[in-house]
Amino acid sequence: MNSASNANSGGKDTEVRTHDIPIADAMVEFMKVGWAPSPLDGVTAHPSIPYTKIRRDKVSKQFVGKRLIFPSGSLKVRSNDSDYQFRAHSAFSWFTGIVASDCVPDSLFIMEPTADGHQGLLFIHPRSPRDNNEFYKNTRYGEFWVGRRMTLDETETKYALQVKQIESIEEFLSDKKETLLVRGQDPAIDKLVVEDTESEKEFLNYISVMRAVKDKYEIDEMQKAIDASVRGFADMVRIFPAATAVPRGERVVEAAFYGRARLEGNDNGYPSIVASGAHACILHWIKNDGDVLPGDLILIDAGVEVESHYTADITRTFPVNGKFTQAQRNIYMIVYKAQQAGIAAIKPGARFRDIHNACMVEIARGAQELGVLPISAEESLLAENGLHRRWQFHGSGHHLGIDVHDCAHARKEQYSDALLEPGMILTVEPGFYVQPDDTLFPEEYRGIGVRIEDDILVTESGAKILSNALPRHPDEVEAYMAKLLK
Ligand code: GLY
Ligand code: MN
Ligand code: MN
C-alpha cells in the first residue's frame, strides 16, 4: 500500500519508502485544519481493575524500594516493512488488565517505589493529535493508518492507572534507580536499565509463580475462551466434508477455527495443530498442509485467546467420517482412560506430578494389553524403565492462563512438585501415538495418534472440567459428529 510518507519509523515521520508519494507543503498546511473533536464515547472502568490492584499490591510488598518495569513489547517485523500482529507481553497484560484492542506497542508499565509501596505509571504512545503530522504520515502509529488509540485521559478512566507519554521515558529512567526489568521485550529499554541477571531471574520467577492461582476475573475469562473454543471445534467438525473434498484439507479445518478465534476473541492462543492421519504422531504438527481422508483420524489441538489474552487449550481426536474403526477405538480408549485417571488425581493437596503419573499407569497398561511392551506395565512404570513412554513421550499437562504454558518461569519445586490449590487451571492431555513405522504394532494400528486434552479448574472439593461441553468418550464423539454433520 502506498503511504503518504514514512515507513515503520517508530514515531519519526521523516523516512520515506520507495513507493511513497511526496507531500506538497500546501497539503501539510491543509491537513492541519477542519477537524472536529472526536472523543471516544462510553469509556468506562474495566472489570479487571479490582483484580489487577490486588496483584500489584502483592508484587509491591515483595520488591520494596525497587522500580519494577513491565514492557508491553514492540512490533516484530515479519518481512521488510510488514509486522506481525501485535500481542502484548503477558506480564504487562496481567499487571495492567489492558485488553488486546487497547494495547499499544512500545508501552511500559512501571511500578515506581514510594514511601509506602509503589505507584503504578503507565507510559504509552497515546492518540496522535491533529496538530502534528503523525496522524496521517506515520504508518506505525498514525490514526489514518492504524486507527484511533486512546488518549492519556481515556486510558486513565478505563484502567484506573496514571498514564504518561512514552516520549518522556528516557528522562524518567535517567536517575538509574535500582530496577527490576522484564528484559528482552523492548530493546530500547533493555539498554537504558542496568542488568542484574540474578535479581531479574528471581523477579521473573516471582511474577510467574504469582499467576498459578487464578482469581474470579481470570476464571471467568478462561471460561469465555473455552466456550468460544468449543464453538470453534463445532465449526471444524461441520467443515470436515468440505475438507475431504480438496487437497490440503487440514488448512480448511485450521481456517474454520481461526475464523472463530478472530470473531469471538483476539487470536488463536497458539498455532493450531490440525493433524490428519499419521500427522497426528508429530506432536507439533503446525504445517497443517495434509489431506483429510475419510477413514483416518484427525487430531486437533486449538484454543481461542480472548481479548483479555486468556487462552483455552483443547485437543480432540475425531474419526473424519464420524465412526472409529476398532483399532482407532482401542487406542482412543487407552487415552480416554488415562485422561480420566489424570483428572481424578486432581484435588487440593495432591501434587501436580500425580496427574502425569496417574495418566502413565493407564498408558503402560494399555500398551501391555496390546502386547507391545516387552516387560510388564508395573516394571515399565519404574523410573529406570519407562518403556511405555515410547508411545507418549510428552508430559500430561501444564498450567494454563494468560499464557498457554502458564507460570513458565517457576522452578520444579513450585511446579511439578508443588501441591495443587483451588483456583489453579491445568490441562490434562495424555496421548498415544503409534508411529507409522512402528513395527511392534500390527499394520492396522500404525499411524494412529490420539490425544485428548481438557482444561480443568482445581476446586475446593476436586476438579471442574471447564471444557466439559465438548464430548470425550468415543460414543459421545460419534453422536456429536452425527448431529453436526446431518
Ligand atoms: N497446545 C499446546 C499444548 O497442548 O501444550
Ligand atoms: Mn496443552
Ligand atoms: Mn494443546
Side-chain angles (χ1 to χ4, degrees), residues 270 273 301-302 313-315 398 404-405 427 429 451 453:
Y270 53 90
I273 295 168
D301 183 341
D313 180 11
I314 300 176
T315 306
H398 51 86
V404 63
H405 296 156
T427 70
E429 51 177 307
R451 179 166 66 257
E453 176 174 25

Side-chain angles (χ1 to χ4, degrees), residues 330-339 341-342 355-373 376-378 380-381 386-396 429-433 441 450-452:
N330 291 346
I331 300 291
Y332 193 102
M333 280 311 293
I334 297 172
V335 180
Y336 178 80
K337 284 185 199 158
Q339 202 209 22
I355 304 169
H356 177 69
N357 292 341
C359 292
M360 284 296 107
V361 170
E362 295 301 329
I363 297 293
R365 281 186 190 152
Q368 175 179 272
E369 275 164 30
L370 289 171
V372 291
L373 261 188
S376 70
E378 282 67 31
S380 187
L381 286 160
L387 305 192
H388 55 283
R389 294 187 58 210
R390 174 178 171 123
W391 299 287
Q392 186 203 310
F393 29 94
H394 58 75
S396 301
E429 51 177 307
F432 201 108
Y433 313 90
F441 270 90
V450 174
R451 179 166 66 257
I452 313 172

Side-chain angles (χ1 to χ4, degrees), residues 303-315:
V304 171
E305 173 186 277
V306 285
E307 275 287 310
S308 54
H309 294 125
Y310 289 86
T311 187
D313 180 11
I314 300 176
T315 306

